Amino acid sequence: MYSYICSLTQIAAVSGDARRALNVCRRAAEIAELANQSSDATQVTIFHVSKALEEMSSSPLLRAIQTASAYEKQFLIALLTCFRRTS
């Protein structure tokens, strides 16, 4: 239970969105259930919450930008600058 309270306050403080915090907690519960399928009593830990948060905050687009080379990032910045000037 402490994991839920801790994660809810951290996520709500960062994003200001309670729905996002509840979605992270829901996903953490799903991860905990998948990990402990043999037992009936499933406890959600900080590990499950951090795994869910990592899963929800890493989109394919974000991962592609993070792993791009310096030249690719410069190209994207130049492209964005051109779009902003013409808009």
Side-chain angles (χ1 to χ4, degrees), residues 22-85:
L22 292 173
N23 281 335
V24 169
C25 289
R26 179 190 50 80
R27 183 63 188 138
E30 290 172 357
I31 292 171
E33 283 180 6
L34 290 173
N36 299 329
Q37 288 181 348
S38 60
S39 64
D40 290 335
T42 303
Q43 185 174 5
V44 178
T45 62
I46 292 291
F47 171 76
H48 299 119
V49 173
S50 62
K51 184 87 170 160
L53 189 58
E54 176 185 317
E55 213 176 82
M56 294 182 76
S57 64
S58 63
S59 68
L61 180 62
L62 183 62
R63 274 186 267 145
I65 292 172
Q66 288 173 341
T67 59
S69 69
Y71 294 114
E72 291 169 332
K73 289 179 183 178
Q74 288 176 351
F75 174 76
L76 289 173
I77 291 170
L79 191 63
L80 182 63
T81 305
C82 286
F83 279 132
R84 284 186 179 167
R85 285 185 183 166

